[in-house]
Amino acid sequence: ELLKCVGRIAYVEFSEVEQQHTGSHGSHESPPTLLRHNWYFEAYRPITEMQGTPGYFEVDPTPFVSVFLAVFYGIMAADLGQGLVLAALGLAIYLRAKGNLRTWGKLLLFLGVSSAICGFLIQEAFGFKLSAVTGIKPVIELLEHHVETASLSRDGVLKLFIIAPLLGFVHVSIGIFLGALKLLRLGEYAEAIFSKLTSLLMYAFGLLFALGFIGAGSFEALFTSSSPAPVIGLPSSQVGVVGLYGVVSCIFVLLLGKLVAGLVGLGPRVSVISAIGGGLLEVLENIIH
């Protein structure tokens, strides 16, 4: 195909390239990357390319971006009226524009639809409540309206505090898993196991601790409460204790895992100070996430 296109006007030379990669066994040239997307994923390609084109041995994050960006934008800008206006603007750009601008128009269209769907779920349009007109109850209602006053809804706030950590856990854990998969492909087994996968376990145990804490209602009751933890339904004391001890265990693995990996030949040898220092940075980064 290349020769047919440019063979008459340019000199073309072909050479064999080994598809090797950079890993613990040396440095090799990485093959180029060709991204292939369907009509929906293509709209989110500019978001991926803002971070740079994925390497040959990396997983293309565009399909994941297409899900999480749409969901998160819909939640943040949940409004039926504004979402429909944004979707109409995106559709107009997609139909009328040319080149790369069409892709951005398609992205605005999808984000507007997501905003409109979430706005319908909470029954809000242009800042006004729709429940009185549609008769549909919002999925989450943070305020309970009385005759002359409004008070914070305990059930609504609790539901929000459950949904938010679950969404965050799924989002962050998929990112960590893809990072571990990339390292395994590159032969960086110590980094994949004792950094990425251990961090993933730390998030899982952290989620259990959060659910146990929410179910118990306070840290003092975390070890004694028999009330059910949200989502799981097990006693909050059991869920919270498992989560707490699991997080502490993962912290120790992050601090000492690479040191042990170097001793058994899974990775390069590192000093005790380097291993513990790097592990502390990862622990802090995980907590911040």
Side-chain angles (χ1 to χ4, degrees), residues 19-255:
Q19 293 191 358
Q20 293 177 308
H21 52 271
T22 301
S24 56
H25 305 294
S27 178
H28 304 281
E29 183 179 358
S30 179
T33 304
L34 175 64
L35 300 179
R36 297 183 183 274
H37 300 130
N38 60 27
W39 184 78
Y40 177 73
F41 293 156
E42 184 66 27
Y44 298 86
R45 181 171 178 164
I47 308 300
T48 297
E49 291 179 340
M50 284 180 180
Q51 309 299 321
T53 303
Y56 183 83
F57 294 96
E58 293 179 315
V59 177
D60 180 12
T62 308
F64 301 96
V65 172
S66 70
V67 175
F68 287 110
L69 180 60
V71 171
F72 289 154
Y73 183 86
I75 292 173
M76 290 187 294
D79 189 288
L80 177 60
Q82 294 177 13
L84 291 177
V85 171
L86 185 64
L89 175 63
L91 181 61
I93 295 174
Y94 175 70
L95 295 176
R96 303 284 295 180
K98 296 180 180 180
N100 194 45
L101 198 58
R102 282 171 55 89
T103 305
W104 287 100
K106 194 194 304 184
L107 178 61
L108 287 178
L109 169 62
F110 293 148
L111 295 182
V113 170
S114 175
S115 174
I117 291 173
C118 291
F120 178 78
L121 291 177
I122 66 168
Q123 288 292 292
E124 188 169 311
F126 297 112
F128 296 99
K129 291 295 181 182
L130 298 175
S131 299
V133 178
T134 61
I136 300 174
K137 189 176 180 180
V139 173
I140 294 180
E141 196 166 19
L142 298 180
L143 292 177
E144 292 179 345
H145 296 276
H146 305 289
V147 179
E148 295 182 353
T149 60
S151 60
L152 203 61
S153 170
R154 183 181 181 279
D155 292 337
V157 172
L158 186 61
K159 192 180 293 185
L160 186 65
F161 278 147
I162 294 171
I163 292 174
L166 287 176
L167 275 175
F169 172 76
V170 173
H171 181 225
V172 174
S173 60
I174 287 178
I176 296 175
F177 177 77
L178 294 180
L181 186 61
K182 170 191 170 183
L183 290 170
L184 289 173
R185 288 180 174 181
L186 294 174
E188 302 284 351
Y189 301 113
E191 190 74 21
I193 296 170
F194 296 106
S195 176
K196 294 297 183 181
L197 294 179
T198 303
S199 294
L200 183 57
L201 280 175
M202 183 177 174
Y203 279 116
F205 285 121
L207 179 65
L208 290 178
F209 175 79
L211 293 175
F213 180 82
I214 292 173
S218 66
F219 189 80
E220 291 77 12
L222 180 64
F223 300 94
T224 58
S225 176
S226 59
S227 59
V231 182
I232 300 176
L234 296 174
S236 296
S237 57
Q238 294 181 10
V239 175
V241 168
V242 169
L244 181 62
Y245 285 119
V247 168
V248 173
S249 301
C250 290
I251 289 175
F252 277 106
V253 174
L254 287 171
L255 293 178

